[in-house]
Amino acid sequence: MAGPRPVRAPRGNQSSARGWQQEAALRMLQNNLDPEVAEHPDKLVVYGGTGKAARDWDSFDAMVRTLTTLGPDETMLVQSGRPVGVMQTHEWAPRVLIANSNLVGDWATWEEFRRLEALGLTMYGQMTAGSWIYIGTQGILQGTYETFAAVAAKLSRENRHSGGTLAGTITLTAGLGGMGGAQPLAVTMNDGVALCIECDPSRIERRLAHGYLDAQADSLEHALRLATEARDARRPLSVGVLGNAAELVPELLAAGAPIDIVTDQTSAHDPLAYLPLGVDFADMAAYAAEKPADFTVRARESMARHVEAMVGFQDAGAEVFDYGNSIRGEAKLAGYARAFDFPGFVPAYIRPLFSEGKGPFRWAALSGDPKDIAATDRAVLDLFPGNESLARWIRLAGERVQFQGLPARICWLGYGERDRAGERFNDMVASGELAAPLVIGRDHLDCGSVASPYRETEAMRDGSDAIADWPLLNAMVNVASGASWVSLHHGGGVGMGRSLHAGQVTVADGTALAGEKIRRVLTNDPGMGVIRHVDAGYERAEEIAAERGVRVPMRENAESGPA
């Protein structure tokens, strides 16, 4: 069948491909486009407004056809969503190698990307869209949950709020798309109140249907009333309100709204995905397509107003942070001088975790059976009994997270933990405790896989924010270690010219070979985060490397060699 059509990954333990490594890639490609998962599946867009799983439907069909015939010693090469070749390799090599949106430095602009995209030569892969490991909004939920937990801890340490949770606070944010849709649930899981602005009514409806959002207000005044009532009762609540953030955030500031925390996760990384002031949402797509340059100018001017209001809340005493969508950079391009007065979330809250090799570890059940995820949840709790934060997350996720597409789970694990979990999962497949194999991957937003000066590598201690060798090394290490598929992308959630990032997925199919690959990949991949932060001078990373035997040549004694 040519052209757009509903796509859903097969379930069960019967493979249509020549092996589970290939079948896993096939099912995860299809799962990314499941209507439960993707934002605009008919356009092959998974999330972020433009992040695609395949360049076009002909390319999608060719990838599906190739994956079903791919041998156990062959590798399919994917160039920006288009399969361009199959090479004979070996059983330890990845079955798929993916490169998305990569342009030479001087050409890495939105204008040049769009010119090439219009010629059918490239696509925007975002992070987990074009690498076939998006698992719905849960994929960003756990990291968002961790971030808001860190915000609560900071406010408590600074005596700006008590209790160690977000109870009794109101968080103002905007954007309820594939990434931002995690924010309301992450806030309420931390016991707080979230007031969320969104310009697309379908996104509000989707978050309500999936349980990520509790209520929709009739107006901004109604939303603020609901939020303050819940805050005063110390009752978790998330409220969505339809409108343009560039208009409503300044209105709330001018009204003296009692906001404690402010962030944003609109699709600001791409100016054509941000609604300018004075434009109706219904007219947005046509305007962006017909007059992209004019639209971009107006969108950036609107972002500048949005960011100016965020700075205003910070001046008034609120905790304000950028959640990684490049809105500060776009506001600066529009001429707003104070755009970077508030920090990004990684240097503000997450970098200590990165120094320990911690980051988002995710897995999906190819069986389609939620019981497989329940069993792996129990296994994680058994493996790490002393980690109460992890246990709380696993319990809350089991109670409150609705699966989208194939059942999946995510949690943050570090160096020395991911390999243990992966090997346990592989043993569970081998023993028949799980109905079918699992895929194990992560977000590209990880401790050692990305160079992104406006997000993951902002304000590195040694000034190495823009050094892009690290994601390249990460991708090569994962290829050498035996990952099932490996990807290297440009742009991601912050936009063209602003990020390089790598991803890996490894399949637990119950075989001894899979176990060996898992051990290496899930040790070396987070190990990249440890050595990257050792190299940048972070003491905690140096401690972890010394404690856990991570070899760092520049730290070894010339006489004694490795410890």
Side-chain angles (χ1 to χ4, degrees):
M1 179 179 178
R5 84 298 299 252
V7 174
R8 189 171 186 263
R11 270 67 170 162
N13 60 8
Q14 298 300 309
S15 170
S16 64
R18 295 177 62 185
W20 274 105
Q21 303 287 315
Q22 302 93 309
E23 180 73 14
L26 173 63
R27 292 193 188 187
M28 293 308 293
L29 166 62
Q30 293 167 320
N31 191 63
N32 265 19
L33 294 172
D34 189 313
E36 292 184 8
V37 177
E39 278 186 0
H40 300 292
D42 57 324
K43 299 177 181 178
L44 298 162
V45 171
V46 182
Y47 71 89
T50 54
K52 299 174 73 173
R55 193 185 305 181
D56 48 48
W57 283 102
D58 286 345
S59 296
F60 171 80
D61 291 335
M63 289 191 289
V64 169
R65 185 172 60 248
T66 303
L67 286 168
T68 59
T69 60
L70 197 68
D73 61 349
E74 292 182 313
T75 298
M76 179 174 72
L77 306 181
V78 178
Q79 181 261 316
S80 289
R82 179 185 180 92
V84 293
V86 172
M87 302 294 184
Q88 185 169 8
T89 52
H90 52 83
E91 64 178 6
W92 271 85
R95 298 284 68 81
V96 187
L97 292 173
I98 302 171
N100 283 317
S101 321
N102 294 287
L103 297 178
V104 174
D106 279 357
W107 285 262
T109 65
W110 276 120
E111 292 76 17
E112 179 64 9
F113 170 80
R114 291 192 181 105
R115 186 185 72 82
L116 295 168
E117 184 183 38
L119 293 172
L121 299 174
T122 189
M123 75 167 202
Y124 201 65
Q126 261 286 350
M127 290 186 148
T128 53
S131 58
W132 313 341
I133 190 60
Y134 186 63
I135 59 171
T137 308
Q138 185 191 174
I140 194 65
L141 174 64
Q142 211 272 335
T144 310
Y145 165 83
E146 294 281 355
T147 297
F148 280 112
V151 172
K154 179 185 177 187
L155 294 179
S156 183
R157 285 194 308 270
E158 296 175 354
N159 295 316
R160 295 160 61 191
H161 183 66
S162 62
T165 74
L166 296 180
T169 66
I170 297 176
T171 296
L172 171 64
T173 188
L176 290 174
M179 296 286 100
Q183 295 175 109
L185 184 54
V187 171
T188 58
M189 289 173 86
N190 279 290
D191 300 328
V193 175
L195 198 168
C196 308
I197 301 166
E198 171 58 56
C199 64
D200 181 348
S202 70
R203 289 180 171 179
I204 296 178
E205 293 166 6
R206 186 182 181 97
R207 299 310 160 206
L208 288 168
H210 290 171
Y212 280 77
L213 186 68
D214 295 325
Q216 180 176 0
D218 300 327
S219 64
L220 189 61
E221 294 75 17
H222 183 210
L224 191 57
R225 183 169 71 253
L226 292 174
T228 53
E229 288 172 356
R231 178 206 61 187
D232 294 345
R234 299 181 71 82
R235 172 171 53 87
L237 180 71
S238 57
V239 182
V241 61
L242 185 66
N244 189 327
E247 178 182 357
L248 299 190
V249 175
E251 279 188 23
L252 288 166
L253 176 65
I259 304 298
D260 303 283
I261 300 157
V262 182
T263 187
D264 174 67
Q265 212 163 17
T266 56
S267 295
H269 67 285
D270 181 353
L272 296 188
Y274 185 98
L275 181 64
L277 286 165
V279 176
D280 289 337
F281 175 75
D283 300 327
M284 178 180 176
Y287 180 19
E290 293 167 9
K291 297 182 178 180
D294 184 60
F295 188 103
T296 294
V297 170
R298 291 185 62 182
R300 284 176 173 154
E301 290 173 348
S302 300
M303 284 188 241
R305 286 198 56 186
H306 186 167
V307 171
E308 182 179 18
M310 293 174 73
V311 171
F313 274 111
Q314 180 173 257
D315 291 344
E319 181 76 4
V320 180
F321 61 95
D322 178 306
Y323 202 61
N325 61 352
S326 261
I327 195 168
R328 294 173 301 168
E330 295 298 319
K332 184 176 180 181
L333 287 173
Y336 181 53
R338 297 185 64 191
F340 283 84
D341 274 21
F342 55 88
F345 76 105
V346 172
Y349 316 112
I350 300 299
R351 185 147 295 140
L353 299 178
F354 280 0
S355 294
E356 296 181 13
K358 289 186 176 178
F361 174 86
R362 63 178 64 177
W363 61 99
L366 296 177
S367 67
D369 190 344
K371 292 179 182 177
D372 281 359
I373 296 301
T376 55
D377 283 350
R378 292 191 296 270
V380 168
L381 295 176
D382 178 62
L383 280 171
F384 309 109
N387 190 333
E388 179 51 37
S389 176
L390 173 63
R392 181 172 186 268
W393 160 256
I394 292 291
R395 289 195 296 268
L396 284 169
E399 295 166 0
R400 302 185 63 181
V401 172
Q402 180 175 320
F403 296 136
Q404 297 166 260
L406 290 171
R409 182 68 75 226
I410 187 170
C411 66
W412 276 45
L413 293 178
Y415 182 84
E417 297 175 333
R418 298 189 207 185
D419 59 315
R420 291 173 60 196
E423 288 187 80
R424 171 70 71 87
F425 294 169
N426 197 56
D427 291 343
M428 293 169 75
V429 175
S431 69
E433 187 176 350
L434 302 180
L438 299 177
V439 293
I440 303 169
R442 56 163 172 77
D443 199 338
H444 289 209
L445 189 168
D446 198 28
C447 52
S449 63
V450 60
S452 183
Y454 286 163
R455 196 159 80 178
E456 292 86 350
T457 55
E458 178 180 343
M460 293 294 291
R461 178 169 292 178
D462 63 346
S464 61
D465 304 21
I467 299 293
D469 299 332
W470 298 99
L472 300 175
L473 289 170
N474 178 266
M476 290 188 280
V477 161
N478 283 318
V479 169
S481 301
S484 300
W485 66 92
V486 177
S487 52
L488 183 65
H489 296 190
H490 178 100
V494 290
M496 295 304 296
R498 294 170 178 163
S499 176
L500 286 174
H501 43 90
Q504 64 80 17
V505 182
T506 305
V507 180
D509 62 15
T511 63
L513 178 61
E516 287 293 322
K517 291 179 177 181
I518 286 167
R519 187 176 305 116
R520 285 166 172 75
V521 173
L522 298 184
T523 297
N524 296 339
D525 186 45
M528 284 293 306
V530 176
I531 65 171
R532 197 272 179 265
H533 288 83
V534 168
D535 197 73
Y538 289 91
E539 290 83 1
R540 183 54 181 156
E542 294 171 6
E543 293 169 1
I544 292 292
E547 290 170 7
R548 303 180 190 175
V550 182
R551 289 194 62 184
V552 183
M554 298 302 292
R555 300 285 172 174
E556 291 178 356
N557 183 290
E559 286 74 32
S560 63

